[in-house]
Amino acid sequence: MDKRLIWLAVGSFTMSTVGFVFSSLLPSIAADTHTTIPRAGHLITLFALSYAIGAPLLSALAGAADRRRLLVAAMLTFVVGNCIAATSVSFATLLFAQIVMGMASGLFAATAQATAVSLAGAEHRALAISIVVGGTTFAVALGAPLGALIAAFWGWRGTFGAIALLGLSCAAVLWLRLPRGLSGTKLTMSERFGAIGRPGVASSLSVTFLYLTGGFMIISYLAPLAIDGAGLSQLALPGLLLAFGVGAVIGNLSSGYLADRLGATRVVTASLISALVVSLMIATGLHLLTRDLAGLLLIGIMVPWGIVGWAFPPARASRIVGFAPEVAHLTLSLNASAIYLGIATGTAIGGRVLENTAAADLGFFAALFPVASLAVLYAGLRSHRRRLATVAAE
């Protein structure tokens, strides 16, 4: 393995931490900026939406630019965005910082995966991409709880400052370690999005989008869910995120093994059904149990929830690659955009639910989306079988 891939993974870890740490920062940000928690949720929505747009759009505009310069420029832009957030004096400035960070993160993610494949060679493409994407998993496991812990002692501004310092260090290492003259491949927007037309890809992206929408209706508002719904203190948030992160690592590592043994479709189906069960357990538990027992339920469900949640992405990515292996770099990039579009949509819908109902009701609304995902998955499987039958008949 080329050791330089590790620094690309560190870059992914740094940028993804921002997206996942917000669930613990929303109450303090809302208090300091004199706004509501649902309105503060717009910060997550805007970051995720900017990421989803930035990945394909900025990659197309960058074209064949030197990847070393592009990665470092994206990371430094991300650092600037964190500095703006850490020193912001208004909610509008914070929103602007999220756009800067989200666009930079999307560009970095798309470029980092392509660079990883170039460094490792086509024969190790899957391993190279998994190492870079692994940075995102560790952002859930370590970055989010550490960010929440920093915020507990030095405030949410301290979290953004710490992420900026890590990003600056990563940019310096990437500049020193990555080779010069590693050019990208110039693709138009139509070429990048053309992969959606491949059989099975569109339905797979829809499943990804719906699944993440339901998940982040709850995850983005974990703080009000834990504090207002389950009666836990704000100091419990780093521990909750750490437990979820431990589950995420287990789910991520076991997903590939299970997909190879049982098939990616079975793993995806099991994840969707489990997500439905978890959503309903959280909602019914917070409604029916006393606050003490509801708090224990939420604490106890975090590791299983993390396992369920993060068994899905590797298996889903494996299935998408299986539909069109020759354009895996394009379909995986589109899948990443679908993930962040789901995060943006789930956060936006969750905010509206929180404005009009209790935090405990989030699970009931979130449960609708795994059901919709299962319906799309089933329809896609039937369509795929019909295509195979048609080809066999011919």
Side-chain angles (χ1 to χ4, degrees), residues 101-243:
M101 286 189 277
M103 296 289 277
S105 298
L107 175 60
F108 184 93
T111 308
Q113 289 188 25
T115 304
V117 172
S118 296
L119 292 174
E123 66 277 11
H124 299 298
R125 178 178 60 196
L127 175 62
I129 291 173
S130 68
I131 290 171
V132 176
V133 174
T136 300
T137 308
F138 279 96
V140 180
L142 297 175
L146 282 175
L149 193 61
I150 290 170
F153 289 97
W154 292 289
W156 57 269
R157 296 179 188 277
T159 299
F160 284 116
I163 293 172
L165 288 174
L166 180 60
L168 194 60
S169 302
C170 187
V173 174
L174 289 173
W175 181 259
L176 294 172
R177 295 285 291 136
L178 289 181
R180 293 172 174 81
L182 194 62
S183 298
T185 303
K186 187 173 181 59
L187 294 172
T188 64
M189 289 294 288
S190 61
E191 288 173 324
R192 289 183 178 275
F193 284 99
I196 295 177
R198 298 294 186 96
V201 172
S203 63
S204 293
L205 295 177
S206 298
V207 170
T208 297
F209 168 76
L210 290 168
Y211 178 82
L212 269 296
T213 297
F216 272 82
M217 282 183 66
I218 301 176
I219 295 170
S220 294
Y221 299 102
L222 181 61
L225 194 71
I227 296 169
D228 300 331
L232 298 174
S233 72
Q234 190 160 349
L235 291 176
L237 294 177
L240 288 177
L241 290 174
L242 180 61

Side-chain angles (χ1 to χ4, degrees), residues 135 152 269 300 370:
T269 302

Side-chain angles (χ1 to χ4, degrees), residues 256-277:
Y257 173 80
L258 291 174
D260 288 340
R261 289 297 183 95
L262 304 176
T265 301
R266 286 193 177 94
V267 175
V268 168
T269 302
S271 293
L272 293 173
I273 295 172
S274 300
L276 170 63
V277 172

